[in-house]
Amino acid sequence: MGPPSSSGFYVSRAVALLLAGLVAALLLALAVLAALYGHCERVPPSELPGLRDSEAESSPPLRQKPTPTPKPSSARELAVTTTPSNWRPPGPWDQLRLPPWLVPLHYDLELWPQLRPDELPAGSLPFTGRVNITVRCTVATSRLLLHSLFQDCERAEVRGPLSPVGRVPVDDVWFALDTEYMVLELSEPLKPGSSYELQLSFSGLVNEDLREGLFLNVYTDQGERRALLASQLEPTFARYVFPCFDEPALKATFNITMIHHPSYVALSNMPKLGQSEKEDVNGSKWTVTTFSTTPHMPTYLVAFVICDYDHVNRTERGKEIRIWARKDAIANGSADFALNITGPIFSFLEDLFNISYSLPKTDIIALPSFDNHAMENWGLMIFDESGLLLEPKDQLTEKKTLISYVVSHEIGHQWFGNLVTMNWWNNIWLNEGFASYFEFEVINYFNPKLPRNEIFFSNILHNILREDHALVTRAVAMKVENFKTSEIQELFDVFTYSKGASMARMLSCFLNEHLFVSALKSYLKTFSYSNTEQDDLWRHFQMAINDQSTVILPATIKNIMDSWTHQSGFPVITLNVSTGVMKQEPFYLENIKNRTLLTSNDTWIVPILWIKNGTTQPLVWLDQSSKVFPEMQVSDSDHDWVILNLNMTGYYRVNYDKLGWKKLNQQLEKDPKAIPVIHRLQLIDDAFSLSKNNYIEIETALELTKYLAEEDEIIVWHTVLVNLVTRDLVSEVNIYDIYSLLKRYLLKRLNLIWNIYSTIIRENVLALQDDYLALISLEKLFVTACWLGLEDCLQLSKELFTKWVDHPENEIPYPIKDVVLCYGIALGSDKEWDILLNTYTNTTNKEEKIQLAYAMSCSKDPWILNRYMEYAISTSPFTSNETNIIEVVASSEVGRYVAKDFLVNNWQAVSKRYGAQSLINLIYTIGRTVTTDLQIVELQQFFSNMLEEHQRIRVHANLQTIKNENLKNKKLSARMAAWLRRNT
């Protein structure tokens, strides 16, 4: 960046606030005017942070409307930092989108955070910066709007037109806080077609508490406390760091300079270009690191890190890849796995799309704490340690596979998001949905033996189908564009990621992989370094379809896919196998029989891939509310059956008439292996979801479990147990004797699957390390078997717990560690409990502390639980842990009553320790089984002196909801109990 100009404007936050207050006090009649035009005195150049006397000259004062609020110290304060629009005249600053008057072309950005290794920050850290933004004017205007929030503007100048170089005087600079704009008022309009340079100097604060914009991590490495600085600018946080045009379509190039302490390394999107030395006003020496120019990219992909880290590196196709982490982590090899998979993933995607990765290097850094988990910044990807580093003790966890998925996801963004970016956030699924889809394609390529369909179901489909329904107001692609910044952040949800990935997968499957990839190649090549809408994607798919004759569709790709991306929810497809009639209807939670019938606007164009008697059938389409498919009728033969939604590639649930379900049940009991694993999963999951929401009877779902004595796939068992042994059911163990009935029914069927995995655990537990589905499913199997009182499960838990207590090097297998610790305490005495307390006190591992905190609540002895809660509110081992011990204790059957009694004399101490909201949470935990109004009244009377009036009203309403849900569950439990009696 060039030297600062010889003239400029200055503003001081402190002086501005002081004078604004004086004006308001002395000239009450002019309060509104004072708010709009509060004058700020000039700051002497020597007082500007980071500037020497020789680097600035005096200038006229800068005005603000009103003065920017200091950057908050917590997210809670951030939520209320706004400027009422009635403080200013109406104008373009009231709009949520920037006016199209200026197009940014290039940024020269310099940042100088005051981070020193010998002075670790306590909460916040000042930084200064300068940015020169080259813009092209498209509409004559004397008002310039750009984004800026939580910064003081120290200088503002406009140079141009740039050919020849001129200057446009800046009369005023002010901030519209609620819409997050900086407004420059000019003395004359800019000329359309001409280029200008906005020259701005600014200052702000870096906060440790926030994870937006620039933020701090304070951590321990090599036995010392250290600090690093990193950035998170997606979606709208670049404006927290420097004034900019913070919209994804406003791409530009960036030259970035970081000024930092010589003992730190600075990283950014591009390779280091050079380094020099700089001296501050106190004579301290700083390092100035400059970086090469970036490609055209949006502001949200700009990234910075200043740290004292080590790295490992390799070269892939001539480009350097470096993994950065704490020095301890690098030394013990924790970054090696990520390094070894990163290069091959890049190469696979380059070959798949026939487009080389655009940047000359890739840095990937593991932060001790990163709330966003991972961020795809071009050239500098940022991860939380948990998503990147693999330690030797992690071999029996699902972590290896999860790291592979997360790394693949972020590398996928280098094409979907970085190279080609959505035009606006309403189409963020074009980034996240395709990155989520290709993370599975990448891992399937490198691990062809992985059960791809079952893993997609477990990681993606299972969760999103539980969240989505017809009354959700959230479609994948939102037609509304004028989002507030808070609403933009909310778009990064399960619908964008998981439903988006499901849309991509469905599209790939009803076309074919070759056609799918061919269309994407064309799309990515055409829109490289630019922006797209959803329709641009559909246009390239249609072009690929038009160029061949094999795949025939019932409508244009736009009409098909818009029916899925522009409306919320998904359909239930019901097939009558007697008549061949298939119909679709929206999936509702708690379906009501007399709900308004489907209209043409509620239909989807549904691809139906299906199998009959184990043989894959040709694709058909349900493009209206109802249609007849004679080929789907079944005969009376025992061998005749139909399953819709091959491999669960369609985004819908499937229902059948009674005959259809009966045929499938008969096949499961006769030869379950004739039905593929993914479809045994599908039948169980669809049936229980449909029964829960009144589409079919619960008995229909239960009939499908009769065959389970022959089921040896743990992922199928996991699906059964997640749907059957729910938390609600566990809470109702004493009602309608369902526990004893369920125990007899399940234990008779658990033998095969239990014997398989208990033998592995006893004889060769390391055999599980590459079995991802077992690693994610084993805990549910184990906890259910022990809950049902399976003697071998209780014995195995005791064995593993005792071996660990006697010799801590005999670690409990990670997938079942929570269960073993819990039953070790439940079946033990205060001796075992004290051992866990001692372990808790001595460990520094946060995850282990949480495990131990929950395990200690498993005791069946009231006096131990009471002592536990007393420790929690009074002694040091628990003061730094955020696990609410009182809630944890109250969650158990015994602990519910102990916690309630404990609160009588200790509620104030609990409120002080965990916050007032914790008392409300405890009410819901303790009252989770209420079924009568009398129970609600008794609970409210018990807590009445602990709550404010407005809290009592809210609690009463929520308890009524809990009661109604419990009454519904009681009816369901009664029907389940009746069925179990008939079938046990």
Side-chain angles (χ1 to χ4, degrees):
M1 181 178 179
S5 63
S6 59
S7 65
F9 295 99
Y10 303 87
V11 62
S12 162
R13 178 193 285 134
V15 176
L17 289 173
L18 175 62
L19 290 185
L22 289 173
V23 170
L26 298 175
L27 303 172
L28 185 59
L30 299 176
V32 174
L33 187 60
L36 290 172
Y37 299 99
H39 286 267
C40 303
E41 290 186 353
R42 176 174 60 87
V43 181
S46 61
E47 293 182 16
L48 289 175
L51 286 179
R52 299 172 61 90
D53 290 343
S54 60
E55 293 179 306
E57 298 179 5
S58 62
S59 61
L62 175 75
R63 295 187 296 176
Q64 292 186 314
K65 309 176 185 177
T67 305
T69 304
K71 191 168 183 178
S73 60
S74 70
R76 182 174 297 172
E77 291 179 71
L78 174 62
V80 297
T81 306
T82 58
T83 305
S85 58
N86 59 3
W87 285 13
R88 60 178 183 256
W93 40 81
D94 297 320
Q95 303 302 310
L96 298 175
R97 297 286 298 272
L98 282 166
W101 306 335
L102 299 178
V103 177
L105 305 175
H106 178 75
Y107 293 77
D108 277 310
L109 173 63
E110 176 187 283
L111 289 178
W112 188 350
Q114 309 294 306
L115 182 64
R116 296 176 173 88
D118 53 343
E119 297 178 19
L120 293 186
S124 63
L125 178 80
F127 74 92
T128 58
R130 299 183 295 180
V131 64
N132 292 350
I133 311 175
T134 303
V135 299
R136 184 177 70 250
C137 178
T138 60
V139 177
T141 178
S142 58
R143 283 174 169 158
L144 311 186
L145 271 69
L146 62 163
H147 290 107
S148 179
L149 191 63
F150 306 133
Q151 298 149 26
D152 281 336
C153 181
E154 316 288 1
R155 304 166 57 85
E157 186 168 329
V158 177
R159 295 283 183 165
L162 295 181
S163 181
V165 176
R167 178 177 178 274
V168 181
V170 179
D171 290 342
D172 198 11
V173 175
W174 57 278
F175 294 83
L177 292 185
D178 54 335
T179 46
E180 304 180 357
Y181 291 134
M182 169 191 283
V183 182
L184 279 66
E185 306 270 10
L186 310 183
S187 63
E188 60 188 60
L190 304 186
K191 299 175 181 177
S194 296
S195 294
Y196 296 83
E197 186 175 79
L198 314 183
Q199 299 182 350
L200 304 166
S201 296
F202 53 91
S203 62
L205 292 175
V206 182
N207 271 264
E208 184 179 357
D209 293 339
L210 296 178
R211 291 293 183 266
E212 300 159 348
L214 287 177
F215 62 90
L216 290 165
N217 265 194
V218 178
Y219 61 99
T220 300
D221 193 13
Q222 297 181 323
E224 298 177 358
R225 285 186 78 249
R226 298 179 183 177
L228 63 78
L229 179 145
S231 64
Q232 169 61 28
L233 306 191
E234 188 184 33
T236 58
F237 305 131
R239 65 194 69 175
Y240 288 21
V241 182
F242 60 99
C244 58
F245 297 85
D246 200 10
E247 294 187 358
L250 299 178
K251 291 187 172 184
T253 55
F254 292 79
N255 279 352
I256 293 170
T257 299
M258 299 294 291
I259 303 176
H260 55 95
H261 192 276
S263 66
Y264 290 123
V265 63
L267 302 172
S268 189
N269 304 81
M270 298 298 287
K272 180 176 67 178
L273 186 63
Q275 281 189 331
S276 60
E277 190 177 88
K278 183 182 182 72
E279 194 173 293
D280 65 17
V281 292
N282 299 315
S284 299
K285 289 181 169 47
W286 296 78
T287 298
V288 180
T289 300
T290 58
F291 299 91
S292 299
T293 305
T294 71
H296 276 86
M297 65 183 197
T299 49
Y300 80 81
L301 289 177
V302 174
F304 332 92
V305 171
I306 294 175
C307 64
D308 181 15
Y309 266 16
D310 276 348
H311 70 275
V312 290
N313 67 297
R314 64 176 282 176
T315 299
E316 183 79 13
R317 295 184 174 178
K319 297 182 179 182
E320 187 177 31
I321 296 168
R322 299 184 294 186
I323 310 290
W324 297 81
R326 289 176 295 104
K327 295 179 179 181
D328 282 340
I330 294 295
N332 68 22
S334 298
D336 293 349
F337 176 71
L339 180 68
N340 291 334
I341 65 173
T342 297
I345 293 171
F346 267 110
S347 296
F348 168 74
L349 291 174
E350 284 184 331
D351 294 339
L352 184 67
F353 301 130
N354 197 28
I355 298 174
S356 296
Y357 174 62
S358 305
L359 273 62
K361 64 91 178 176
T362 296
D363 284 312
I364 303 178
I365 189 165
L367 303 189
S369 177
F370 185 45
D371 291 351
N372 290 76
H373 305 299
M375 178 62 202
E376 67 268 17
N377 309 304
W378 222 350
L380 177 54
M381 290 182 269
I382 297 178
F383 285 68
D384 187 272
E385 284 186 353
S386 63
L388 192 68
L389 302 184
L390 186 70
E391 299 180 29
K393 68 180 180 63
D394 293 329
Q395 60 183 340
L396 266 182
T397 72
E398 66 272 27
K399 198 170 181 181
K400 184 177 179 180
T401 304
L402 292 179
I403 289 173
S404 300
Y405 282 122
V406 177
V407 171
S408 299
H409 180 100
E410 303 309 325
I411 294 176
H413 272 307
Q414 310 308 301
W415 286 265
F416 293 97
N418 298 8
L419 184 65
V420 178
T421 312
M422 76 282 144
N423 194 54
W424 184 242
W425 299 106
N426 60 323
N427 277 314
I428 183 59
W429 87 274
L430 296 177
N431 286 20
E432 300 297 349
F434 279 89
S436 297
Y437 170 74
F438 276 105
E439 72 185 64
F440 289 90
E441 293 303 293
V442 167
I443 302 307
N444 291 334
Y445 174 80
F446 289 107
N447 302 276
K449 292 183 179 179
L450 281 178
R452 58 191 300 171
N453 295 314
E454 290 80 359
I455 290 179
F456 193 90
F457 168 82
S458 300
N459 287 14
I460 299 289
L461 267 182
H462 176 74
N463 294 326
I464 183 59
L465 288 176
R466 288 185 167 224
E467 293 287 330
D468 203 8
H469 56 88
L471 298 183
V472 168
T473 58
R474 174 80 163 85
V476 169
M478 305 290 282
K479 293 182 179 179
V480 179
E481 292 193 8
N482 290 328
F483 295 110
K484 297 178 182 177
T485 53
S486 60
E487 293 171 330
I488 291 172
Q489 295 171 48
E490 292 169 1
L491 294 176
F492 290 80
D493 60 10
V494 68
F495 296 96
T496 290
Y497 288 79
S498 296
K499 189 170 181 177
S502 301
M503 295 297 99
R505 181 170 177 255
M506 181 170 66
L507 177 60
S508 171
C509 290
F510 74 67
L511 298 175
N512 58 58
E513 187 173 355
H514 173 75
L515 196 57
F516 180 73
V517 172
S518 175
L520 288 177
K521 284 181 182 178
S522 172
Y523 166 78
L524 291 170
K525 183 177 180 180
T526 300
F527 294 103
S528 291
Y529 306 104
S530 61
N531 297 79
T532 65
E533 305 278 357
Q534 177 176 272
D535 282 355
D536 295 318
L537 179 65
W538 301 153
R539 190 157 46 250
H540 280 264
F541 270 100
Q542 193 63 51
M543 288 162 52
I545 292 165
N546 293 344
D547 285 343
Q548 54 83 58
S549 57
T550 304
V551 176
I552 308 297
L553 302 180
T556 65
I557 202 73
K558 172 177 168 57
N559 287 343
I560 293 171
M561 293 308 297
D562 279 359
S563 77
W564 295 92
T565 62
H566 281 317
Q567 67 176 323
S568 61
F570 60 87
V572 175
I573 307 301
T574 301
L575 173 66
N576 186 314
V577 299
S578 300
T579 63
V581 173
M582 187 190 300
K583 66 174 185 176
Q584 61 167 295
E585 58 183 314
F587 176 80
Y588 290 97
L589 295 181
E590 301 188 19
N591 185 43
I592 300 171
K593 300 291 185 186
N594 60 357
R595 191 183 295 278
T596 304
L597 293 176
L598 209 75
T599 68
S600 58
N601 293 330
D602 294 320
T603 57
W604 290 261
I605 302 178
V606 187
I608 307 291
L609 287 161
W610 59 296
I611 55 177
K612 187 170 187 178
N613 306 330
T615 303
T616 302
Q617 304 296 314
L619 169 70
V620 298
W621 290 86
L622 181 61
D623 53 0
Q624 48 194 276
S625 59
S626 181
K627 205 169 183 179
V628 179
F629 296 95
E631 64 270 34
M632 294 187 184
Q633 293 175 274
V634 298
S635 66
D636 293 334
S637 166
D638 291 342
H639 302 283
D640 222 7
W641 50 272
V642 169
I643 292 180
L644 305 185
N645 199 8
L646 178 66
N647 294 327
M648 294 190 78
T649 55
Y651 187 70
Y652 51 85
R653 290 200 184 275
V654 180
N655 189 13
Y656 304 92
D657 64 339
K658 289 184 178 181
L659 179 60
W661 285 115
K662 180 182 177 182
K663 290 282 188 180
L664 291 168
N665 186 49
Q666 288 174 343
Q667 183 59 47
L668 285 172
E669 293 196 58
K670 182 171 55 181
D671 180 13
K673 294 297 177 71
I675 297 178
V677 175
I678 185 62
H679 290 297
R680 304 204 297 273
L681 271 176
Q682 175 200 11
L683 292 174
I684 295 292
D685 201 61
D686 279 355
F688 275 96
S689 176
L690 293 171
S691 68
K692 179 181 178 181
N693 293 288
N694 302 325
Y695 286 87
I696 62 175
E697 305 296 334
I698 183 60
E699 292 81 359
T700 302
L702 290 170
E703 288 288 332
L704 295 173
T705 68
K706 286 182 174 180
Y707 87 98
L708 285 172
E710 305 299 319
E711 182 58 75
D712 59 1
E713 292 288 344
I714 194 169
I715 188 62
V716 178
W717 266 103
H718 182 264
T719 305
V720 171
L721 297 178
V722 164
N723 281 287
L724 190 57
V725 187
T726 63
R727 179 172 178 173
D728 292 332
L729 185 70
V730 171
S731 296
E732 299 289 333
V733 293
N734 296 315
I735 298 177
Y736 299 110
D737 65 4
I738 193 168
Y739 173 75
S740 59
L741 291 167
L742 196 60
K743 178 177 179 176
R744 290 203 302 273
Y745 183 78
L746 285 178
L747 287 185
K748 183 187 297 186
R749 289 163 173 81
L750 270 169
N751 283 333
L752 175 61
I753 194 69
W754 173 259
N755 289 337
I756 290 172
Y757 284 95
S758 61
T759 301
I760 292 174
I761 291 169
R762 284 188 167 103
E763 297 180 1
N764 184 23
V765 71
L766 290 179
L768 294 174
Q769 62 183 327
D770 293 321
D771 189 344
Y772 176 73
L773 292 178
L775 291 173
I776 65 173
S777 304
L778 195 55
E779 182 181 32
K780 185 64 177 178
L781 174 66
F782 212 86
V783 72
T784 303
C786 285
W787 175 72
L788 292 171
L790 181 64
E791 189 59 39
D792 191 48
C793 182
L794 298 173
Q795 182 61 36
L796 182 54
S797 295
K798 188 175 181 179
E799 289 173 15
L800 294 170
F801 184 83
T802 302
K803 286 180 181 179
W804 172 72
V805 167
D806 293 342
H807 301 284
E809 66 273 13
N810 293 326
E811 291 193 12
I812 301 168
Y814 181 85
I816 57 173
K817 187 174 181 179
D818 288 348
V819 186
V820 171
L821 289 175
C822 183
Y823 277 93
I825 293 299
L827 301 174
S829 64
D830 59 325
K831 175 187 173 183
E832 287 77 15
W833 197 95
D834 289 340
I835 290 171
L836 254 62
L837 176 62
N838 184 59
T839 306
Y840 179 97
T841 304
N842 292 323
T843 186
T844 58
N845 185 291
K846 290 182 180 178
E847 183 180 5
E848 187 176 17
K849 276 188 175 291
I850 293 171
Q851 278 186 319
L852 294 169
Y854 276 87
M856 286 187 283
S857 73
C858 294
S859 175
K860 303 294 186 184
D861 293 326
W863 74 270
I864 292 179
L865 295 176
N866 201 70
R867 184 182 68 171
Y868 186 22
M869 292 185 288
E870 288 176 353
Y871 285 170
I873 63 174
S874 61
T875 58
S876 57
F878 301 98
T879 54
S880 61
N881 192 290
E882 292 307 310
T883 304
N884 189 322
I885 304 300
I886 316 302
E887 281 189 37
V888 171
V889 170
S891 297
S892 71
E893 196 61 30
V894 175
R896 179 169 30 149
Y897 303 102
V898 179
K900 185 177 177 182
D901 292 341
F902 181 81
L903 284 173
V904 173
N905 298 316
N906 297 283
W907 69 268
Q908 289 174 317
V910 171
S911 180
K912 181 179 179 181
R913 170 70 178 86
Y914 295 111
Q917 178 62 35
S918 67
L919 295 175
I920 295 176
N921 295 340
L922 278 165
I923 295 174
Y924 302 145
T925 302
I926 293 171
R928 65 185 179 275
T929 60
V930 295
T931 55
T932 68
D933 289 333
L934 179 59
Q935 289 173 321
I936 293 177
V937 170
E938 289 175 347
L939 203 58
Q940 285 190 293
Q941 287 176 345
F942 177 81
F943 281 96
S944 62
N945 64 326
M946 307 179 198
L947 303 177
E948 303 290 339
E949 179 60 29
H950 70 281
Q951 293 174 319
R952 294 191 194 105
I953 295 172
R954 180 157 54 95
V955 164
H956 180 79
N958 288 341
L959 286 174
Q960 286 290 340
T961 301
I962 292 172
K963 182 198 78 171
N964 293 336
E965 189 69 21
N966 286 340
L967 288 174
K968 186 181 78 172
N969 289 334
K970 282 181 69 173
K971 293 179 181 177
L972 181 65
S973 296
R975 291 182 62 176
M976 289 177 63
W979 185 90
L980 288 168
R981 285 190 196 96
R982 294 193 301 270
N983 292 277
T984 300

